[in-house]
Amino acid sequence: MSASPVLSVENLHLAYGKHEVVHGASFQLQQGSIACLLGPSGCGKTSILRAIAGFEPVRDGEIHFDGRRIAASDLHLAPEARRIGMVFQDYALFPHLTVADNIAFGLRDMDRAARAARVAEMLALIGLPDIGTRYPHELSGGQQQRIALARALAPHPALILLDEPFSNLDVDLRERLSLEVRDILKRAGTTAILVTHDQHEAFAMADEIGVMSEGRIRQWDTPYRLYHEPADRFVADFVGQGVFVKAEVLSRDSVRFELGELHASVPRQCDIGCERCERNCPIEVLLRPDDIIHDDASDTKAEVVAKAFRGSEFLYTLRLPSGQTVLSLVPSHHNHAIGEAIGIRLDVDHVVTFAS
């Protein structure tokens, strides 16, 4: 028997005036899990985070947290009564306070010795034990981000909310720091929700991800399943890289396209697109860059029309004889020129198809 969720969001509707920005969002979060709301700007993800924190009222639906109902159309528990910590996009550190005083800000109910001990514990947890006397302006962006996290964790919240916490950092630092923050949260045993538009951050940090668009959660799943088993075309397009190529149904468990035959169950989308899914029904196959393997021995050729150097790999854009293009990740010692024809073969473990 599974444990009760620490957070349950049920059919949540949020609005600013007459404009509804979240339409019936639902998800649950278990104790100690890290979740992410992932989507483009304006999709409603930050509004959900703010409603959980208590900064936005609920038009309809309910939020249950830590065994009690905290928000509904007829209920709004004050933010300070929710035992929820929040890390803001700009960190919101107090510039006139030392690092130690920033972390201790929410610990006013403790005596001085207990407060100092908790601050020291937090500094050790984030790997910065010796900077308690410094001020925020003396720290790097990555250090400030960890101090903001330590301040949010210090009062023992049951849930931490992180609103685009890495957006002010350069790209290389974002992914490394997101892994570090995940490790800190896991060691602290803290449940957390991250909001971001960056799938690399989401994949690095989260145990489960809700992909959002236009105020709706399109799929709530593990990162692996979002990438390999997207629920619809939006998720398939938004998560990872890939292209859709034309194909046709051969049978209930096989499809054929320009590069050969693939065996997989014809998905629900095909049944929606046709009166009945039958031979020659037109569909599209999603091909990821890791589905197309460079193989000099292959008789199947494709023309290099673009390439992006990524250090250990090239991302090639390849034109097939029909004119359709596909992507392929190739080790960078295979440095082919634009216009060159190279051998390719299929290696598709997860066949993802959609109705044309």
Side-chain angles (χ1 to χ4, degrees):
M1 185 175 175
S2 60
S4 297
V6 69
L7 176 72
S8 180
V9 175
E10 301 171 6
N11 193 34
L12 186 68
H13 291 258
L14 303 174
Y16 299 115
K18 294 182 178 180
H19 178 56
E20 190 165 276
V21 294
V22 174
H23 317 287
S26 298
F27 61 91
Q28 294 183 337
L29 201 56
Q30 297 294 328
Q31 175 63 44
S33 182
I34 300 174
C36 175
L37 293 170
L38 171 67
S41 296
C43 70
K45 55 189 186 295
T46 294
S47 296
I48 292 177
L49 204 73
R50 290 177 59 83
I52 295 169
F55 300 143
E56 300 293 343
V58 169
R59 169 172 282 187
D60 201 4
E62 296 184 342
I63 301 173
H64 294 256
F65 173 62
D66 207 17
R68 57 181 176 163
R69 185 166 168 261
I70 62 168
S73 60
D74 61 347
L75 171 69
H76 183 82
L77 192 67
E80 61 272 16
R82 297 191 181 197
R83 285 191 62 225
I84 294 174
M86 192 156 184
V87 178
F88 296 94
Q89 187 173 334
D90 61 358
Y91 316 138
L93 297 175
F94 299 110
H96 63 289
L97 297 181
T98 65
V99 165
D101 288 340
N102 264 283
I103 295 173
F105 186 77
L107 305 177
R108 295 172 181 173
D109 293 338
M110 291 184 177
D111 61 42
R112 181 176 296 183
R115 193 162 56 243
R118 183 61 177 163
V119 168
E121 183 183 355
M122 288 296 95
L123 287 170
L125 178 68
I126 63 171
L128 299 171
D130 302 319
I131 65 166
T133 58
R134 293 166 67 179
Y135 287 84
H137 72 271
E138 300 176 291
L139 307 179
S140 68
Q143 289 173 325
Q144 289 184 40
Q145 198 279 336
R146 278 179 279 186
I147 297 305
L149 179 61
R151 183 180 63 183
L153 286 170
H156 298 283
L159 176 68
I160 288 283
L161 307 176
L162 302 107
D163 184 13
E164 299 270 10
F166 311 113
S167 60
N168 294 329
L169 306 174
D170 62 68
V171 174
D172 290 337
L173 184 57
R174 283 183 194 177
E175 193 164 349
R176 178 169 63 82
L177 199 56
S178 58
L179 289 169
E180 291 179 8
V181 169
R182 174 182 168 83
D183 181 60
I184 290 167
L185 290 169
K186 287 296 184 182
R187 282 189 283 125
T190 303
T191 310
I193 304 177
L194 165 76
V195 157
T196 183
H197 63 276
D198 187 319
Q199 61 179 286
H200 298 294
E201 291 174 20
F203 279 24
M205 269 197 70
D207 301 309
E208 47 194 334
I209 298 170
V211 178
M212 292 192 65
S213 82
E214 299 179 338
R216 291 180 169 84
I217 296 177
R218 307 294 287 262
Q219 185 173 354
W220 185 278
D221 224 323
T222 63
Y224 184 89
R225 285 175 58 89
L226 288 173
Y227 185 84
H228 289 296
E229 301 174 34
D232 59 29
R233 285 187 68 122
F234 177 84
V235 176
D237 233 359
F238 191 79
V239 174
Q241 291 179 295
V243 295
F244 296 95
V245 298
K246 294 178 181 178
E248 63 180 9
V249 174
L250 289 181
S251 68
R252 287 298 306 175
D253 61 358
S254 64
V255 299
R256 177 175 59 203
F257 74 115
E258 185 174 355
L259 294 179
E261 190 173 322
L262 298 173
H263 295 276
S265 298
V266 176
R268 176 177 53 83
Q269 286 86 348
C270 190
D271 289 321
I272 294 170
C274 316
E275 285 189 12
R276 60 185 182 277
C277 215
E278 58 186 13
R279 188 175 177 85
N280 301 324
C281 178
I283 58 172
E284 292 184 322
V285 176
L286 171 66
L287 292 178
R288 301 290 195 187
D290 46 327
D291 293 330
I292 307 295
I293 308 300
H294 174 31
D295 184 353
D296 289 324
S298 174
D299 293 331
T300 303
K301 305 296 181 183
E303 179 190 354
V304 177
V305 294
K307 64 181 185 180
F309 182 62
R310 295 187 170 182
S312 62
E313 297 171 317
F314 279 109
L315 178 64
Y316 283 110
T317 303
L318 305 172
R319 182 184 291 125
L320 304 178
S322 68
Q324 294 187 107
T325 59
V326 293
L327 302 174
S328 180
L329 278 175
V330 178
S332 62
H333 55 270
H334 293 281
N335 186 11
H336 296 285
I338 303 295
E340 186 178 346
I342 65 172
I344 59 171
R345 61 179 171 83
L346 288 173
D347 186 13
V348 185
D349 285 334
H350 297 83
V351 181
V352 178
T353 61
F354 296 98
S356 290

